[in-house]
Amino acid sequence: MARIENAKSIGEWLDQRIAIETLKKVMQTEYWIPKNINFLWAMGMVLAATFGILLVSGIFLLMYYNPSVDLAFDSVNYTIMTEVGYGWLWRHVHGVGASLVFLIIYIHMFTGIYYGSYKKGRELIWLSGMLLFVLFSAEAFSGYMLPWGQMSYWAGMVITNLFSGGSLEAYGLVEWIRGDYVPGQAFLTRFFMLHVLLMPLAIIGGIVFHFGTLRIPHVNNQDSEDFDYAEAAALYKAGKVKESKVIPFSPVFLSKDVFVMGVYFILFFFLVFYKFDFAMDPVNFDPANGLSTPAHIYPEWYFLWSYEILRPFSKDMGLIAFAIAQVIFFTLPFLDRSPNVAPANKRGFLFHMWFWLLLIDVLVLTFMGKLPPTDATFAMIGMVAAYSFFALWILLPIITLIEKKIKE
Ligand code: HEM
């Protein structure tokens, strides 16, 4: 052990034990971020901050929530909303945060696709990000069960039914997952455990892993230009170039992040105070009733695109299509066969079109997923969008193979 001198300040005391000054020094003088990045590169930190807010608000809600099928609904809609001081605020913060986190995740994902931030050397950043997406989906779904309203109950019924495997009729598996023939106490207790313990722990692990995968390849930049960031900093320091291509993580990049976060939180709290109902389904304000099926069962907006992929197909095909849609984004670094690392608009017509068609298709699927399946025109649009989704992914290796190599 190194010799420990008497410390003159708390900072020095901490530095002797956990090298806090060294971390600060590395962030200020050794960890470089490219200069040419826009506000979209702050989305990762916005996500981390929103997750923090979800954790804190969740802890406050947990103090009064009661995970019993007889008391859960009232503990949320009556106790927390009307009896507990500022209980309504924590609930609105939690509900709005859960919805916005998905909006930001989708923006973050499509930014990565546009700028090719999943390509050679950065595959693990993408894969760990996708892992986080799956974990967040499980976290959101398990949380949706907790108020034990009509939508909690029936969404829980529909989604657990998927595990029967269509014609395989594996109802034993469905009952095993539910701990009963229908969602009941065992089901609620399990999803409660998943939501407040297992999934948050897994997400924290996932975030640490995701940050770790950024350490060596570093973040991409707006031109997807591949250069050694440390070397660029050294050239500037040695006076060999007039303008630096990189900035230190702290405080320069961090201050950009904090600015974008400030703007984001203005929107966040505007929604919390004035428009919180967008994050709450009116049907879920009726207590769960296993004897009365709602006319139209649909998930929250962020799952609508994959739900719409399930609907147009027959029972078995729907299930297979749904399962593929859940994992297809994982395969992006391997299906994109082009060596070009460049923003979509510089990769030629085909990939540029592919990107925008994928984005529009996911939006169309989302809108159609919310509508009842009874209208023939909308059902047809939904079906075309679902087929197009798969066609786009099948086409990806072909169009990227014929993509012309961009000259260096
Ligand atoms: C809560 C979840 C997440 C957190 C906290 C998070 C955090 C971050 C942070 C801080 C960065 C660096 C700065 C930036 O580019 O924004 C980053 C980069 C990245 N993330 Fe995430 N992320 C999350 C989810 C995801 C998801 C779902 C994906 C999609 C698969 C993803 C893919 C990426 C990629 C490809 C990069 C590299 C961007 C680049 O090189 O320019 N992340 N993430």
Side-chain angles (χ1 to χ4, degrees):
M1 191 171 77
R3 246 185 82 205
I4 301 244
E5 307 279 342
N6 278 344
K8 292 190 191 69
S9 64
I10 296 181
E12 209 177 303
W13 190 90
L14 283 174
D15 190 43
Q16 288 168 351
R17 284 153 184 87
I18 51 171
I20 205 147
E21 286 301 321
T22 314
L23 178 70
K24 249 168 78 183
K25 204 174 124 220
V26 168
M27 289 308 182
Q28 287 170 351
T29 59
E30 283 172 38
Y31 194 64
W32 302 103
I33 303 286
K35 204 186 230 176
N36 61 339
I37 51 176
N38 56 31
F39 76 98
L40 292 167
W41 270 266
M43 293 303 134
M45 283 312 223
V46 168
L47 278 174
T50 312
F51 178 61
I53 285 196
L54 283 169
L55 275 185
V56 174
S57 53
I59 288 169
F60 277 95
L61 293 174
L62 190 55
M63 293 183 201
Y64 293 95
Y65 174 74
N66 195 326
S68 132
V69 284
D70 298 322
L71 300 170
F73 185 83
D74 282 349
S75 72
V76 174
N77 291 297
Y78 181 67
T79 313
I80 291 176
M81 289 303 283
T82 62
E83 289 201 319
V84 177
Y86 293 102
W88 59 271
L89 180 61
W90 291 117
R91 189 176 183 210
H92 290 175
V93 165
H94 205 69
V96 167
S99 213
L100 284 190
V101 91
F102 276 93
L103 177 67
I104 308 295
I105 283 182
Y106 287 131
I107 295 177
H108 190 58
M109 276 172 76
F110 276 90
T111 305
I113 302 179
Y114 191 86
Y115 292 102
S117 306
Y118 53 86
K119 301 208 68 161
K120 202 167 170 190
R122 293 200 171 89
E123 299 93 332
L124 271 184
I125 309 181
W126 180 259
L127 294 177
S128 58
M130 277 309 297
L131 180 71
L132 277 169
F133 175 69
V134 172
L135 293 174
F136 263 93
S137 302
E139 175 69 350
F141 179 72
S142 55
Y144 199 55
M145 300 298 105
L146 301 191
W148 210 236
Q150 270 291 68
M151 255 329 170
S152 310
Y153 182 92
W154 288 100
M157 180 79 98
V158 171
I159 296 297
T160 45
N161 257 341
L162 295 178
F163 289 89
S164 68
S167 304
L168 291 177
E169 301 202 3
Y171 287 107
L173 179 62
V174 177
E175 284 154 17
W176 182 72
I177 290 167
R178 287 181 188 152
D180 203 337
Y181 294 105
V182 288
Q185 185 59 58
F187 177 93
L188 181 59
T189 316
R190 281 164 199 202
F191 280 89
F192 174 64
M193 180 283 291
L194 281 178
H195 188 70
V196 305
L197 184 73
L198 195 57
M199 286 304 139
L201 281 182
I203 289 174
I204 292 169
I207 292 179
V208 172
F209 181 39
H210 193 53
F211 282 12
T213 60
L214 281 160
R215 181 72 189 92
I216 293 178
H218 283 228
V219 291
N220 196 1
N221 55 73
Q222 259 188 109
D223 299 320
S224 315
E225 193 187 345
D226 186 17
F227 64 97
D228 187 327
Y229 296 171
E231 210 174 279
L235 281 178
Y236 176 65
K237 271 193 205 156
K240 295 205 173 122
V241 284
K242 254 192 170 163
E243 206 187 312
S244 175
K245 283 172 92 174
V246 290
I247 48 176
F249 179 85
S250 169
V252 188
F253 176 65
L254 212 54
S255 58
K256 277 185 167 187
D257 267 356
V258 171
F259 174 75
V260 177
M261 266 192 243
V263 175
Y264 166 76
F265 279 117
I266 292 174
L267 169 74
F268 186 100
F269 283 103
F270 170 77
L271 293 173
V272 165
F273 289 113
Y274 299 106
K275 293 270 175 261
F276 53 86
D277 44 345
F278 92 94
M280 305 198 171
D281 195 307
V283 184
N284 224 21
F285 285 93
D286 290 331
N289 181 355
L291 300 175
S292 148
T293 318
H296 178 35
I297 304 172
Y298 47 82
E300 286 293 276
W301 71 265
Y302 38 85
F303 293 142
L304 285 170
W305 68 270
S306 55
Y307 178 64
E308 183 60 17
I309 283 179
L310 174 96
R311 282 206 299 190
F313 298 99
S314 68
K315 201 176 168 189
D316 288 345
M317 279 313 291
L319 209 60
I320 295 170
F322 182 73
I324 295 176
Q326 301 311 304
V327 294
I328 197 82
F329 281 88
F330 273 98
T331 63
L332 180 62
F334 313 105
L335 290 186
D336 183 342
R337 310 300 308 154
S338 155
N340 293 327
V341 185
N345 63 336
K346 304 224 172 97
R347 282 181 57 179
F349 176 75
L350 287 177
F351 184 79
H352 196 197
M353 274 302 278
W354 184 89
F355 172 84
W356 287 110
L357 285 176
L358 182 71
L359 182 59
I360 293 167
D361 197 56
V362 169
L363 289 175
V364 172
L365 286 167
T366 301
F367 283 112
M368 294 304 132
K370 183 82 185 189
L371 301 171
T374 38
D375 186 300
T377 319
F378 291 138
M380 178 59 88
I381 297 174
M383 191 168 82
V384 172
Y387 279 113
S388 309
F389 181 81
F390 290 107
L392 282 168
W393 283 98
I394 293 169
L395 281 174
L396 181 63
I398 304 166
I399 61 164
T400 48
L401 266 178
I402 55 177
E403 185 175 306
K404 278 205 194 91
K405 189 165 168 21
I406 301 174
K407 287 195 190 81
E408 305 274 313

